[in-house]
Amino acid sequence: MSMLEISALPQYIKKRPTYDRKKIVSRIVHLGFGAFHRAHQALFIDRLLNTGNSDWAICEVNIVGGEQLIEDIRKQDHLYTVLEKGAQSKEAFVIGSVKESLLAQSDGIEVILEKMASPLIEIVSLTITEKGYCMLPGGVGLDFNNALIKADLVNPEKPVSAPGVIVEALYRRMQRGLKSFTALSCDNIPENGVVLKKAILDLAKARDFKLAQWIESNTTFPCTMVDRIVPAITSETLIEIEGVLGGIVDPCGIACEPFIQWVIEDNFVTNRPNWDQVGAEFVKNVVPYEEMKLRMLNGSHSFLAYLGYLAGYVHINDCMNDASYKKATHQLMMAQQAPTLHVPSNVNLLEYANKLIERFSNPSLKHQTWQIAMDGTQKLPQRMLDSIRWHIKNDSDFSLLALGVAGWMRYVGGIDDNHQPIDVKDPMSEQLQTIVKASVDGIERVNCLLKLDVIFGADLPNNSQFREQVTTHYLTLMQKGAKQTIQELII
Ligand code: NAI
Ligand code: CS2
């Protein structure tokens, strides 16, 4: 058993850094060194370094959690493995694009802020999950009741939230007469750049109007569409990676599907790396790509997460092995999500949907329905509710989308179809639990959940069609369970 280092790698691991890692420079600070970033952005940056045409590297930063990962990666000179797993293939890549790392808990926020204020840093990117933005669901504005935001308003120079950290770093750059960095959101949020900008400006305005003006005129917030299925790591996968590496142990390894996509709005403050040379796309307008991905892929993912979990399906590919679930997912995509989209001219939605079904069916990935079901209050608006609004306006069928919403309601009720308790994880879980405890299961529960206007707005609960469909599906799910409900609906 040995540690991960280039000289110890078996010859057959061909995909490894070919550049001099001593010469690479941290020009990017990334907030949220989690599973996804390791298998996506860091890999694109590594690919570009391998062309020999770039010296851009990353300083990874975790301000919430992630202590063990940072501790482990420091021990192996910030190298780690990405294992791409297709249905019948696997290939390991050793990634060298991470130059250094900082952890708020041990290094302190001051060191992180100074790094972000350094003139060398040109991009601050983020994968901090939807809740990290501290926005009200639907991205309508910063949540000033969020405990982290409240703390940052009192102590702006020692921030604890991601928006607070960015605002303070930008404040220091403004004070020092430095250029701004580009703030690059890579989270699954519609118009993620616009949402990030709103979070930052809302907080900056509450602090200092001059700072807000400076940010508005000097900082850019490109939108991005990011896509690659990267399940949370498991001990089985780490053992698999060890096997592929010929006995080298890599606690920072991560596995993912072979598919990868990154579409980026070309709007950077300074020069940006030519990620288009290694598979990314720079475009003027990312919105059509984002909407397509969020509704077709993520919308179906959430549908499968709730209805699959309730039925006892642990993984997304288990759902795909059930013919009714597979058919319902394809129908959801083509009949109820696709019509709501304005797709880029080079995209064929039927091919896109077929490819998604193939990706969801990948038996090697073991992507847990429970993982995707997490944080539903942050996900439902962009994945299902926007499409439902479109159908209401166009007087068309949204039955499967309504079933997805009813599935979420059953899920947050905390008991699955086999009467087993569900570990519901959500930033609003306290509120959800209060509602669940105080309501009789059935119509009353649905009515109480529909009162959550931060999720459903004022319009949807007042729409009789929406209310009726969600209630009917909920009652059917209660009576017959998710499997039978889906079977009967798609016949
Ligand atoms: P993860 O749980 O492995 O990592 C989450 C990261 O966010 C951690 O580094 C954590 O430190 C940070 N974080 C969590 N809460 C935070 C907060 N309140 N403030 C600041 N940082 C916070 O999750 P993973 O898989 O890396 O996913 C992260 C996000 O990436 C997703 O929410 C999604 O928006 C996006 N994404 C994920 C994909 C996937 O398949 N895993 C694919 C496409 C996008
Ligand atoms: C998933 C996504 O966890 C979730 O909510 O729907 O992380 C999904 O795997 C990615 O967006 C795929 O790109």
Side-chain angles (χ1 to χ4, degrees):
M1 186 178 99
S2 53
M3 277 207 355
L4 181 59
E5 49 187 327
I6 305 278
S7 58
L9 280 175
Q11 285 295 314
Y12 60 79
I13 304 286
K14 303 274 182 236
K15 302 289 174 53
R16 55 170 85 186
T18 53
Y19 44 92
D20 183 352
R21 292 187 70 233
K22 289 195 196 74
K23 293 197 178 136
I24 63 178
V25 184
S26 298
R27 301 188 193 281
I28 301 171
V29 162
H30 182 76
L31 303 180
F33 186 47
F36 176 59
H37 168 79
R38 269 179 288 161
H40 191 264
Q41 187 186 342
L43 186 134
F44 274 103
I45 294 168
D46 178 76
R47 276 186 187 171
L48 193 58
L49 284 164
N50 267 325
T51 66
N53 295 328
S54 165
D55 69 353
W56 285 61
I58 319 162
C59 170
E60 303 291 353
V61 169
N62 274 341
I63 57 171
V64 175
E67 297 87 344
Q68 190 61 49
L69 184 61
I70 298 259
E71 200 180 297
D72 288 338
I73 203 150
R74 284 175 174 175
K75 289 187 195 142
Q76 47 194 52
D77 193 20
H78 295 95
L79 286 170
Y80 66 93
T81 316
V82 172
L83 183 64
E84 290 185 1
K85 292 167 70 172
Q88 270 132 23
S89 61
K90 51 180 152 178
E91 185 169 20
F93 295 70
V94 172
I95 305 297
S97 54
V98 180
K99 175 86 179 173
E100 56 191 314
S101 56
L102 293 170
L103 185 65
Q105 292 90 328
S106 54
D107 299 306
I109 201 67
E110 184 56 30
V111 181
I112 292 172
L113 290 166
E114 278 306 303
K115 184 78 194 175
M116 291 167 73
S118 142
L120 279 178
I121 298 301
E122 300 191 52
I123 295 176
V124 170
S125 54
L126 305 92
T127 49
I128 54 170
T129 76
E130 292 86 343
K131 60 187 174 298
Y133 292 76
C134 306
M135 292 289 273
L136 293 164
V140 288
L142 192 67
D143 181 3
F144 284 99
N145 285 319
N146 180 299
L148 301 178
I149 297 297
K150 280 185 178 167
D152 288 354
L153 286 170
V154 179
N155 265 325
E157 67 294 339
K158 288 198 176 90
V160 285
S161 74
V165 168
I166 295 178
V167 168
E168 173 62 15
L170 289 172
Y171 176 76
R172 294 182 186 197
R173 295 179 84 105
M174 176 185 80
Q175 291 293 82
R176 296 172 195 176
L178 293 172
K179 271 196 167 174
S180 176
F181 47 67
T182 299
L184 188 69
S185 168
C186 297
D187 274 294
N188 274 330
I189 298 175
E191 298 191 76
N192 49 12
V194 176
V195 169
L196 177 60
K197 182 173 180 180
K198 180 127 193 64
I200 300 303
L201 286 180
D202 280 1
L203 188 59
K205 276 181 202 151
R207 174 177 173 178
D208 170 353
F209 202 73
K210 207 177 104 229
L211 171 64
Q213 276 180 329
W214 185 85
I215 294 175
E216 182 114 54
S217 347
N218 290 279
T219 310
T220 63
F221 300 85
C223 289
T224 64
M225 182 267 246
V226 289
D227 192 7
R228 172 167 254 195
I229 297 175
V230 188
I233 196 72
T234 60
S235 43
E236 290 79 21
T237 310
L238 286 179
I239 291 169
E240 190 181 350
I241 291 174
E242 185 181 330
V244 174
L245 295 181
I248 293 178
V249 177
D250 178 5
C252 309
I254 191 79
C256 59
E257 63 172 342
F259 183 92
I260 191 162
Q261 192 175 13
W262 194 13
V263 186
I264 311 161
E265 181 187 339
D266 202 357
N267 181 21
F268 287 70
V269 172
T270 54
N271 287 336
R272 43 100 177 134
N274 292 325
W275 288 317
D276 49 342
Q277 286 178 6
V278 287
E281 288 167 81
F282 287 107
V283 299
K284 266 198 181 144
N285 181 12
V286 176
V287 176
Y289 295 89
E290 279 185 325
E291 275 186 358
M292 174 181 79
K293 193 246 167 177
L294 282 166
R295 294 184 191 175
M296 300 279 284
L297 189 162
N298 298 111
S300 319
H301 245 181
S302 290
F303 176 88
L304 291 170
Y306 299 120
L307 295 153
Y309 188 97
L310 288 170
Y313 293 137
V314 177
H315 305 113
I316 291 293
N317 65 299
D318 299 330
C319 301
M320 290 296 102
N321 288 334
D322 179 320
S324 311
Y325 275 65
K326 189 169 170 177
K327 198 165 164 194
T329 308
H330 200 269
Q331 266 179 26
L332 171 72
M333 289 185 204
M334 287 315 295
Q336 297 187 18
Q337 300 283 32
T340 71
L341 300 169
H342 303 280
V343 282
S345 55
N346 57 341
V347 174
N348 175 327
L349 278 179
L350 181 59
E351 278 171 17
Y352 188 73
N354 292 343
K355 178 75 184 167
L356 287 176
I357 296 285
E358 187 190 313
R359 290 168 64 193
F360 291 173
S361 305
N362 183 343
S364 320
L365 273 186
K366 303 263 178 282
H367 198 189
Q368 290 196 13
T369 46
W370 178 82
Q371 187 193 344
I372 301 164
M374 229 183 276
D375 296 352
T377 57
Q378 312 285 304
K379 295 176 177 174
L380 280 190
Q382 61 270 24
R383 295 183 180 203
M384 293 187 189
L385 303 181
D386 288 345
S387 302
I388 290 177
R389 288 192 173 92
W390 186 94
H391 284 291
I392 290 173
K393 208 164 142 202
N394 289 278
D395 198 17
S396 44
D397 177 25
F398 60 88
S399 51
L400 287 165
L401 289 160
L403 175 61
V405 175
W408 170 77
M409 290 180 169
R410 290 290 296 152
Y411 183 90
V412 299
I415 307 284
D416 70 15
D417 290 350
N418 292 316
H419 312 288
Q420 296 304 307
I422 306 174
D423 180 12
V424 179
K425 290 259 189 282
D426 196 284
M428 287 177 68
S429 59
E430 256 177 56
Q431 229 172 314
L432 293 172
Q433 264 187 28
T434 310
I435 293 175
V436 168
K437 278 193 194 135
S439 57
V440 178
D441 200 5
I443 298 179
E444 188 185 320
R445 172 87 41 90
V446 174
N447 287 342
C448 291
L449 286 168
L450 284 176
K451 284 192 188 124
L452 288 169
D453 57 356
V454 285
I455 302 167
F456 296 106
D459 57 335
L460 288 178
N462 281 324
N463 181 281
S464 56
Q465 229 189 327
F466 174 71
R467 187 175 269 282
E468 266 167 41
Q469 285 206 35
V470 172
T471 310
T472 308
H473 285 312
Y474 188 94
L475 296 176
T476 315
L477 285 172
M478 250 179 104
Q479 198 196 346
K480 300 184 174 173
K483 264 188 215 174
Q484 201 181 329
T485 306
I486 291 196
Q487 265 166 22
E488 290 178 5
L489 197 74
I490 58 137
I491 279 168

